[in-house]
Amino acid sequence: MPLSGRRTRLAVLGHPIAHSRSPAMQVAALRTLGLEDWSYEAIDVPPEHLAERVRAMADEGFAGANVTIPHKEAALALSDEASERARAIGAANTLSFAEGRIRAENTDAPGLIAALPGSARGARTVVLGAGGAARAAVWALAGAGASVVVTNRGRERAERLVAELGGELHRGGPLPLSELDLVVNATSIGLRGGDHDPGGELAALKEIGLEVDQLSDRTTVVDLVYVSGGTGLVGAGMKAGATVVDGLEILVRQGAASLEIWTGHEAPLEAMRAAANAADLR
Ligand code: NDP
């Protein structure tokens, strides 16, 4: 807890970080909660300086920090204690500083579950990808009682994920979408710079088994990627009448879980959503 009269600082650490919507979203949450003496800032930290930066933060008045690309594995490694969830996933996106110790947690996993429109129990799901976000998704869905198939461009990484966290490896060819309830994109497909190439995006999804023209209104599509105007997958899901959860909602939910850890207050989701959306317009 902060010393009285002293500002309590929070931050997001990444590299690059300039385009993160977390500061706008978290500041809106802190103001809505009336936590006027709390702040949240973006700090660009190159990988070689991460350990030194994190270890200095408690003395600089920080109560905690979010950690994003490319630091999530390193953040877990440098922590003094980590939750079972963060250790199983192998990545941390939330650090807390108290009593001279660094504690690591992963809120990407509960954030995904919280963003789903219904229970994941018994849902037949496919997770696209095998990186850190996919590991959090598989851990969360399997833990919530869903069956999970994993498909990824690189087979070895997917094999390792399934061996460590459960689920089944997709054998190749088109995914049987009529038999699936939930599709989670945890690859970077859909992230783009200035040029939007929907054809390339949908072709990359097809390469790993997802034929978007086979989506239907009985599928829920979750895309962890968020881009201005929506990804090609979000667009295809909406066109097919599927229930769609976009990456901004995932961002809001993981941020809400982090905020609750640091402040002990229930996160104001509507204010966070509005601020995350408005950050798009700047
Ligand atoms: P990683 O770099 O760890 O993994 C990237 C994944 O994307 C790998 O599975 C990789 O496959 C795959 N991939 C990348 N490019 C292609 C391509 N052209 N074709 C097919 N597959 C591709 O990243 P993360 O797991 O950390 O993040 C994944 C995405 O999720 C990012 O876009 C990130 O922004 C987003 N994310 C969003 C969050 C949110 O709050 N909304 C939270 C966390 C992540 P391969 O193994 O073959 O290289």
Side-chain angles (χ1 to χ4, degrees), residues 68-69 72-73 108 128-135 151-155 157-158 185-189 191 204-205 207-208 223-226 246-252 254:
T68 188
I69 292 172
K72 289 186 186 182
E73 285 88 359
D108 285 329
L128 315 177
R135 290 181 66 92
T151 180
N152 189 50
R153 180 178 59 181
R155 193 165 174 88
R157 212 173 175 192
N185 177 35
T187 71
S188 320
I189 298 172
L191 264 188
L205 291 170
E207 270 306 293
I208 55 172
D223 197 344
L224 265 60
V225 175
Y226 57 94
D246 70 6
L248 218 51
E249 182 64 14
I250 303 290
L251 180 79
V252 168
Q254 62 78 34

Side-chain angles (χ1 to χ4, degrees), residues 99-113:
E99 290 147 13
R101 292 176 73 75
I102 301 167
R103 181 174 161 72
E105 181 53 283
N106 184 305
T107 67
D108 285 329
L112 168 65
I113 298 299

